PDB file of all heavy atoms in Angstrom:
ATOM      1  N   CYS A  69      -5.362 178.944 -34.004  1.00 85.00           N
ATOM      2  CA  CYS A  69      -4.326 179.645 -34.889  1.00 85.00           C
ATOM      3  C   CYS A  69      -3.133 178.694 -34.986  1.00 85.00           C
ATOM      4  O   CYS A  69      -2.575 178.624 -36.141  1.00 85.00           O
ATOM      5  CB  CYS A  69      -4.012 181.015 -34.221  1.00 85.00           C
ATOM      6  SG  CYS A  69      -5.248 182.280 -34.279  1.00 85.00           S
ATOM      7  N   LYS A  70      -2.600 178.228 -33.925  1.00 83.00           N
ATOM      8  CA  LYS A  70      -1.519 177.205 -33.987  1.00 83.00           C
ATOM      9  C   LYS A  70      -1.962 176.037 -34.743  1.00 83.00           C
ATOM     10  O   LYS A  70      -1.037 175.472 -35.486  1.00 83.00           O
ATOM     11  CB  LYS A  70      -1.057 176.846 -32.572  1.00 83.00           C
ATOM     12  CG  LYS A  70      -0.375 178.023 -31.755  1.00 83.00           C
ATOM     13  CD  LYS A  70       0.093 177.530 -30.446  1.00 83.00           C
ATOM     14  CE  LYS A  70       0.847 178.688 -29.681  1.00 83.00           C
ATOM     15  NZ  LYS A  70       1.461 178.161 -28.464  1.00 83.00           N
ATOM     16  N   ASP A  71      -3.179 175.588 -34.704  1.00 79.00           N
ATOM     17  CA  ASP A  71      -3.644 174.388 -35.369  1.00 79.00           C
ATOM     18  C   ASP A  71      -3.540 174.685 -36.985  1.00 79.00           C
ATOM     19  O   ASP A  71      -3.011 173.896 -37.649  1.00 79.00           O
ATOM     20  CB  ASP A  71      -4.939 174.053 -35.042  1.00 79.00           C
ATOM     21  CG  ASP A  71      -5.404 172.658 -35.604  1.00 79.00           C
ATOM     22  OD1 ASP A  71      -4.460 172.006 -36.052  1.00 79.00           O
ATOM     23  OD2 ASP A  71      -6.593 172.376 -35.531  1.00 79.00           O
ATOM     24  N   ALA A  72      -3.979 175.859 -37.305  1.00 82.00           N
ATOM     25  CA  ALA A  72      -3.837 176.309 -38.698  1.00 82.00           C
ATOM     26  C   ALA A  72      -2.411 176.400 -39.167  1.00 82.00           C
ATOM     27  O   ALA A  72      -2.055 175.897 -40.195  1.00 82.00           O
ATOM     28  CB  ALA A  72      -4.518 177.643 -38.896  1.00 82.00           C
ATOM     29  N   GLU A  73      -1.576 176.973 -38.265  1.00 83.00           N
ATOM     30  CA  GLU A  73      -0.126 177.061 -38.492  1.00 83.00           C
ATOM     31  C   GLU A  73       0.443 175.640 -38.623  1.00 83.00           C
ATOM     32  O   GLU A  73       1.209 175.403 -39.633  1.00 83.00           O
ATOM     33  CB  GLU A  73       0.585 177.920 -37.488  1.00 83.00           C
ATOM     34  CG  GLU A  73       1.999 178.099 -37.728  1.00 83.00           C
ATOM     35  CD  GLU A  73       2.625 178.904 -36.634  1.00 83.00           C
ATOM     36  OE1 GLU A  73       2.026 179.296 -35.736  1.00 83.00           O
ATOM     37  OE2 GLU A  73       3.913 179.022 -36.704  1.00 83.00           O
ATOM     38  N   LEU A  74       0.107 174.734 -37.707  1.00 83.00           N
ATOM     39  CA  LEU A  74       0.586 173.413 -37.794  1.00 83.00           C
ATOM     40  C   LEU A  74       0.204 172.575 -39.072  1.00 83.00           C
ATOM     41  O   LEU A  74       0.909 171.885 -39.622  1.00 83.00           O
ATOM     42  CB  LEU A  74       0.179 172.658 -36.486  1.00 83.00           C
ATOM     43  CG  LEU A  74       0.862 173.079 -35.246  1.00 83.00           C
ATOM     44  CD1 LEU A  74       0.234 172.350 -34.065  1.00 83.00           C
ATOM     45  CD2 LEU A  74       2.381 172.756 -35.313  1.00 83.00           C
ATOM     46  N   LEU A  75      -1.116 172.968 -39.411  1.00 82.00           N
ATOM     47  CA  LEU A  75      -1.668 172.385 -40.629  1.00 82.00           C
ATOM     48  C   LEU A  75      -0.861 172.824 -41.865  1.00 82.00           C
ATOM     49  O   LEU A  75      -0.471 172.090 -42.770  1.00 82.00           O
ATOM     50  CB  LEU A  75      -3.132 172.657 -40.826  1.00 82.00           C
ATOM     51  CG  LEU A  75      -4.152 171.901 -39.813  1.00 82.00           C
ATOM     52  CD1 LEU A  75      -5.451 172.411 -40.066  1.00 82.00           C
ATOM     53  CD2 LEU A  75      -3.986 170.459 -40.148  1.00 82.00           C
ATOM     54  N   GLU A  76      -0.553 174.020 -41.910  1.00 83.00           N
ATOM     55  CA  GLU A  76       0.241 174.630 -42.986  1.00 83.00           C
ATOM     56  C   GLU A  76       1.664 174.076 -42.886  1.00 83.00           C
ATOM     57  O   GLU A  76       2.232 173.617 -43.948  1.00 83.00           O
ATOM     58  CB  GLU A  76       0.331 176.121 -42.751  1.00 83.00           C
ATOM     59  CG  GLU A  76       1.128 176.844 -43.898  1.00 83.00           C
ATOM     60  CD  GLU A  76       1.051 178.310 -43.813  1.00 83.00           C
ATOM     61  OE1 GLU A  76       0.415 178.775 -42.897  1.00 83.00           O
ATOM     62  OE2 GLU A  76       1.742 179.039 -44.665  1.00 83.00           O
ATOM     63  N   ARG A  77       2.215 173.908 -41.746  1.00 82.00           N
ATOM     64  CA  ARG A  77       3.573 173.355 -41.566  1.00 82.00           C
ATOM     65  C   ARG A  77       3.477 171.890 -41.934  1.00 82.00           C
ATOM     66  O   ARG A  77       4.538 171.273 -42.598  1.00 82.00           O
ATOM     67  CB  ARG A  77       4.081 173.479 -40.246  1.00 82.00           C
ATOM     68  CG  ARG A  77       4.432 174.907 -39.811  1.00 82.00           C
ATOM     69  CD  ARG A  77       4.818 175.157 -38.422  1.00 82.00           C
ATOM     70  NE  ARG A  77       6.120 174.300 -38.137  1.00 82.00           N
ATOM     71  CZ  ARG A  77       6.631 174.277 -37.040  1.00 82.00           C
ATOM     72  NH1 ARG A  77       6.075 174.815 -35.990  1.00 82.00           N
ATOM     73  NH2 ARG A  77       7.823 173.625 -36.912  1.00 82.00           N
ATOM     74  N   LEU A  78       2.407 171.278 -41.620  1.00 81.00           N
ATOM     75  CA  LEU A  78       2.347 169.787 -41.922  1.00 81.00           C
ATOM     76  C   LEU A  78       2.272 169.610 -43.428  1.00 81.00           C
ATOM     77  O   LEU A  78       2.873 168.674 -43.991  1.00 81.00           O
ATOM     78  CB  LEU A  78       1.005 169.157 -41.366  1.00 81.00           C
ATOM     79  CG  LEU A  78       0.719 167.801 -41.633  1.00 81.00           C
ATOM     80  CD1 LEU A  78       1.890 166.831 -41.016  1.00 81.00           C
ATOM     81  CD2 LEU A  78      -0.577 167.271 -40.938  1.00 81.00           C
ATOM     82  N   GLY A  79       1.515 170.512 -44.180  1.00 81.00           N
ATOM     83  CA  GLY A  79       1.537 170.473 -45.656  1.00 81.00           C
ATOM     84  C   GLY A  79       2.808 170.570 -46.150  1.00 81.00           C
ATOM     85  O   GLY A  79       3.402 169.917 -47.044  1.00 81.00           O
ATOM     86  N   ALA A  80       3.691 171.561 -45.480  1.00 83.00           N
ATOM     87  CA  ALA A  80       4.957 171.815 -46.036  1.00 83.00           C
ATOM     88  C   ALA A  80       5.837 170.602 -45.783  1.00 83.00           C
ATOM     89  O   ALA A  80       6.710 170.206 -46.552  1.00 83.00           O
ATOM     90  CB  ALA A  80       5.514 173.145 -45.422  1.00 83.00           C
ATOM     91  N   MET A  81       5.640 170.024 -44.530  1.00 83.00           N
ATOM     92  CA  MET A  81       6.455 168.886 -44.177  1.00 83.00           C
ATOM     93  C   MET A  81       6.122 167.716 -45.100  1.00 83.00           C
ATOM     94  O   MET A  81       6.996 166.807 -45.347  1.00 83.00           O
ATOM     95  CB  MET A  81       6.158 168.532 -42.651  1.00 83.00           C
ATOM     96  CG  MET A  81       6.825 169.595 -41.687  1.00 83.00           C
ATOM     97  SD  MET A  81       6.368 169.195 -39.976  1.00 83.00           S
ATOM     98  CE  MET A  81       7.219 167.614 -39.808  1.00 83.00           C
ATOM     99  N   THR A  82       4.723 167.618 -45.438  1.00 85.00           N
ATOM    100  CA  THR A  82       4.483 166.502 -46.377  1.00 85.00           C
ATOM    101  C   THR A  82       5.208 166.666 -47.720  1.00 85.00           C
ATOM    102  O   THR A  82       5.732 165.728 -48.256  1.00 85.00           O
ATOM    103  CB  THR A  82       2.927 166.556 -46.662  1.00 85.00           C
ATOM    104  OG1 THR A  82       2.311 166.434 -45.393  1.00 85.00           O
ATOM    105  CG2 THR A  82       2.526 165.397 -47.502  1.00 85.00           C
ATOM    106  N   LEU A  83       5.278 167.864 -48.196  1.00 84.00           N
ATOM    107  CA  LEU A  83       5.909 168.164 -49.433  1.00 84.00           C
ATOM    108  C   LEU A  83       7.454 167.732 -49.191  1.00 84.00           C
ATOM    109  O   LEU A  83       8.174 167.181 -50.128  1.00 84.00           O
ATOM    110  CB  LEU A  83       5.820 169.680 -49.871  1.00 84.00           C
ATOM    111  CG  LEU A  83       4.368 169.974 -50.281  1.00 84.00           C
ATOM    112  CD1 LEU A  83       4.285 171.513 -50.641  1.00 84.00           C
ATOM    113  CD2 LEU A  83       4.006 169.161 -51.483  1.00 84.00           C
ATOM    114  N   THR A  84       8.019 168.303 -48.089  1.00 83.00           N
ATOM    115  CA  THR A  84       9.421 168.030 -47.688  1.00 83.00           C
ATOM    116  C   THR A  84       9.625 166.492 -47.631  1.00 83.00           C
ATOM    117  O   THR A  84      10.630 165.923 -48.081  1.00 83.00           O
ATOM    118  CB  THR A  84       9.842 168.704 -46.585  1.00 83.00           C
ATOM    119  OG1 THR A  84       9.531 170.135 -46.484  1.00 83.00           O
ATOM    120  CG2 THR A  84      11.314 168.455 -46.183  1.00 83.00           C
ATOM    121  N   GLU A  85       8.639 165.792 -47.097  1.00 81.00           N
ATOM    122  CA  GLU A  85       8.813 164.278 -46.933  1.00 81.00           C
ATOM    123  C   GLU A  85       8.757 163.681 -48.175  1.00 81.00           C
ATOM    124  O   GLU A  85       9.583 162.725 -48.393  1.00 81.00           O
ATOM    125  CB  GLU A  85       7.605 163.808 -46.027  1.00 81.00           C
ATOM    126  CG  GLU A  85       7.756 162.283 -45.845  1.00 81.00           C
ATOM    127  CD  GLU A  85       6.538 161.681 -44.978  1.00 81.00           C
ATOM    128  OE1 GLU A  85       5.681 162.538 -44.724  1.00 81.00           O
ATOM    129  OE2 GLU A  85       6.582 160.600 -44.657  1.00 81.00           O
ATOM    130  N   ASP A  86       7.945 164.109 -49.169  1.00 82.00           N
ATOM    131  CA  ASP A  86       7.951 163.593 -50.527  1.00 82.00           C
ATOM    132  C   ASP A  86       9.226 163.740 -51.193  1.00 82.00           C
ATOM    133  O   ASP A  86       9.834 162.974 -51.870  1.00 82.00           O
ATOM    134  CB  ASP A  86       6.898 164.112 -51.379  1.00 82.00           C
ATOM    135  CG  ASP A  86       5.443 163.783 -50.871  1.00 82.00           C
ATOM    136  OD1 ASP A  86       5.366 162.659 -50.183  1.00 82.00           O
ATOM    137  OD2 ASP A  86       4.516 164.515 -51.098  1.00 82.00           O
ATOM    138  N   SER A  87       9.898 165.112 -50.964  1.00 84.00           N
ATOM    139  CA  SER A  87      11.087 165.343 -51.556  1.00 84.00           C
ATOM    140  C   SER A  87      12.236 164.536 -50.858  1.00 84.00           C
ATOM    141  O   SER A  87      13.085 163.936 -51.716  1.00 84.00           O
ATOM    142  CB  SER A  87      11.456 166.923 -51.393  1.00 84.00           C
ATOM    143  OG  SER A  87      12.829 167.096 -51.866  1.00 84.00           O
ATOM    144  N   LEU A  88      12.054 164.330 -49.593  1.00 83.00           N
ATOM    145  CA  LEU A  88      13.078 163.457 -48.885  1.00 83.00           C
ATOM    146  C   LEU A  88      13.005 161.844 -49.375  1.00 83.00           C
ATOM    147  O   LEU A  88      13.960 161.357 -49.421  1.00 83.00           O
ATOM    148  CB  LEU A  88      12.889 163.617 -47.393  1.00 83.00           C
ATOM    149  CG  LEU A  88      13.324 164.876 -46.663  1.00 83.00           C
ATOM    150  CD1 LEU A  88      12.941 164.916 -45.339  1.00 83.00           C
ATOM    151  CD2 LEU A  88      14.733 165.080 -47.006  1.00 83.00           C
ATOM    152  N   ARG A  89      11.717 161.545 -49.544  1.00 82.00           N
ATOM    153  CA  ARG A  89      11.607 160.244 -50.013  1.00 82.00           C
ATOM    154  C   ARG A  89      12.277 159.987 -51.333  1.00 82.00           C
ATOM    155  O   ARG A  89      12.854 158.999 -51.628  1.00 82.00           O
ATOM    156  CB  ARG A  89      10.109 159.818 -50.065  1.00 82.00           C
ATOM    157  CG  ARG A  89       9.457 159.697 -48.793  1.00 82.00           C
ATOM    158  CD  ARG A  89       7.934 159.192 -48.876  1.00 82.00           C
ATOM    159  NE  ARG A  89       7.286 159.088 -47.594  1.00 82.00           N
ATOM    160  CZ  ARG A  89       7.343 158.017 -46.895  1.00 82.00           C
ATOM    161  NH1 ARG A  89       7.999 156.989 -47.379  1.00 82.00           N
ATOM    162  NH2 ARG A  89       6.690 157.975 -45.635  1.00 82.00           N
ATOM    163  N   SER A  90      11.948 160.922 -52.306  1.00 85.00           N
ATOM    164  CA  SER A  90      12.670 160.926 -53.550  1.00 85.00           C
ATOM    165  C   SER A  90      14.258 160.855 -53.467  1.00 85.00           C
ATOM    166  O   SER A  90      14.901 160.121 -54.072  1.00 85.00           O
ATOM    167  CB  SER A  90      12.158 162.133 -54.439  1.00 85.00           C
ATOM    168  OG  SER A  90      12.803 161.969 -55.768  1.00 85.00           O
ATOM    169  N   THR A  91      14.700 161.829 -52.622  1.00 86.00           N
ATOM    170  CA  THR A  91      16.095 161.869 -52.355  1.00 86.00           C
ATOM    171  C   THR A  91      16.662 160.603 -51.713  1.00 86.00           C
ATOM    172  O   THR A  91      17.672 160.155 -52.141  1.00 86.00           O
ATOM    173  CB  THR A  91      16.468 163.014 -51.517  1.00 86.00           C
ATOM    174  OG1 THR A  91      15.967 164.353 -52.039  1.00 86.00           O
ATOM    175  CG2 THR A  91      17.930 163.288 -51.330  1.00 86.00           C
ATOM    176  N   LEU A  92      15.866 160.066 -50.827  1.00 84.00           N
ATOM    177  CA  LEU A  92      16.364 158.791 -50.156  1.00 84.00           C
ATOM    178  C   LEU A  92      16.257 157.715 -51.212  1.00 84.00           C
ATOM    179  O   LEU A  92      17.207 156.767 -51.232  1.00 84.00           O
ATOM    180  CB  LEU A  92      15.268 158.403 -49.089  1.00 84.00           C
ATOM    181  CG  LEU A  92      15.514 157.192 -48.276  1.00 84.00           C
ATOM    182  CD1 LEU A  92      16.832 157.248 -47.661  1.00 84.00           C
ATOM    183  CD2 LEU A  92      14.504 156.906 -47.275  1.00 84.00           C
ATOM    184  N   ALA A  93      15.296 157.582 -52.123  1.00 86.00           N
ATOM    185  CA  ALA A  93      15.360 156.581 -53.141  1.00 86.00           C
ATOM    186  C   ALA A  93      16.560 156.752 -54.073  1.00 86.00           C
ATOM    187  O   ALA A  93      17.258 155.665 -54.319  1.00 86.00           O
ATOM    188  CB  ALA A  93      14.076 156.592 -53.997  1.00 86.00           C
ATOM    189  N   GLU A  94      16.807 158.038 -54.375  1.00 87.00           N
ATOM    190  CA  GLU A  94      18.088 158.187 -55.183  1.00 87.00           C
ATOM    191  C   GLU A  94      19.388 157.887 -54.425  1.00 87.00           C
ATOM    192  O   GLU A  94      20.271 157.319 -55.027  1.00 87.00           O
ATOM    193  CB  GLU A  94      18.135 159.678 -55.750  1.00 87.00           C
ATOM    194  CG  GLU A  94      17.050 160.160 -56.647  1.00 87.00           C
ATOM    195  CD  GLU A  94      17.138 161.594 -56.934  1.00 87.00           C
ATOM    196  OE1 GLU A  94      17.991 162.321 -56.376  1.00 87.00           O
ATOM    197  OE2 GLU A  94      16.315 162.005 -57.742  1.00 87.00           O
ATOM    198  N   THR A  95      19.381 158.223 -53.186  1.00 86.00           N
ATOM    199  CA  THR A  95      20.490 157.916 -52.336  1.00 86.00           C
ATOM    200  C   THR A  95      20.661 156.333 -52.137  1.00 86.00           C
ATOM    201  O   THR A  95      21.787 155.796 -52.227  1.00 86.00           O
ATOM    202  CB  THR A  95      20.373 158.555 -50.902  1.00 86.00           C
ATOM    203  OG1 THR A  95      20.186 159.947 -51.038  1.00 86.00           O
ATOM    204  CG2 THR A  95      21.656 158.312 -50.138  1.00 86.00           C
ATOM    205  N   GLN A  96      19.568 155.682 -52.042  1.00 86.00           N
ATOM    206  CA  GLN A  96      19.598 154.183 -51.923  1.00 86.00           C
ATOM    207  C   GLN A  96      20.079 153.559 -53.106  1.00 86.00           C
ATOM    208  O   GLN A  96      20.958 152.627 -53.142  1.00 86.00           O
ATOM    209  CB  GLN A  96      18.178 153.740 -51.561  1.00 86.00           C
ATOM    210  CG  GLN A  96      18.127 152.224 -51.241  1.00 86.00           C
ATOM    211  CD  GLN A  96      18.861 151.932 -50.072  1.00 86.00           C
ATOM    212  OE1 GLN A  96      18.779 152.572 -49.062  1.00 86.00           O
ATOM    213  NE2 GLN A  96      19.580 150.695 -50.166  1.00 86.00           N
ATOM    214  N   ALA A  97      19.652 154.115 -54.267  1.00 87.00           N
ATOM    215  CA  ALA A  97      20.126 153.666 -55.592  1.00 87.00           C
ATOM    216  C   ALA A  97      21.659 153.901 -55.704  1.00 87.00           C
ATOM    217  O   ALA A  97      22.484 152.931 -56.054  1.00 87.00           O
ATOM    218  CB  ALA A  97      19.426 154.240 -56.743  1.00 87.00           C
ATOM    219  N   SER A  98      22.123 155.075 -55.380  1.00 84.00           N
ATOM    220  CA  SER A  98      23.429 155.364 -55.505  1.00 84.00           C
ATOM    221  C   SER A  98      24.298 154.459 -54.427  1.00 84.00           C
ATOM    222  O   SER A  98      25.366 153.998 -54.647  1.00 84.00           O
ATOM    223  CB  SER A  98      23.782 156.850 -55.099  1.00 84.00           C
ATOM    224  OG  SER A  98      25.126 157.176 -55.043  1.00 84.00           O
ATOM    225  N   LEU A  99      23.667 154.291 -53.204  1.00 84.00           N
ATOM    226  CA  LEU A  99      24.383 153.415 -52.231  1.00 84.00           C
ATOM    227  C   LEU A  99      24.419 151.942 -52.757  1.00 84.00           C
ATOM    228  O   LEU A  99      25.478 151.122 -52.474  1.00 84.00           O
ATOM    229  CB  LEU A  99      23.511 153.474 -50.882  1.00 84.00           C
ATOM    230  CG  LEU A  99      24.093 152.622 -49.781  1.00 84.00           C
ATOM    231  CD1 LEU A  99      25.412 153.068 -49.360  1.00 84.00           C
ATOM    232  CD2 LEU A  99      23.246 152.678 -48.573  1.00 84.00           C
TER     233      LEU A  99
END
Side-chain angles (χ1 to χ4, degrees):
C69 293
K70 289 184 177 181
D71 190 16
E73 182 180 357
L74 289 174
L75 288 174
E76 184 178 357
R77 292 176 62 183
L78 180 61
M81 290 175 66
T82 302
L83 295 176
T84 304
E85 182 181 3
D86 294 338
S87 177
L88 289 175
R89 288 180 182 275
S90 177
T91 304
L92 179 61
E94 294 177 358
T95 304
Q96 185 64 38
S98 177
L99 181 61

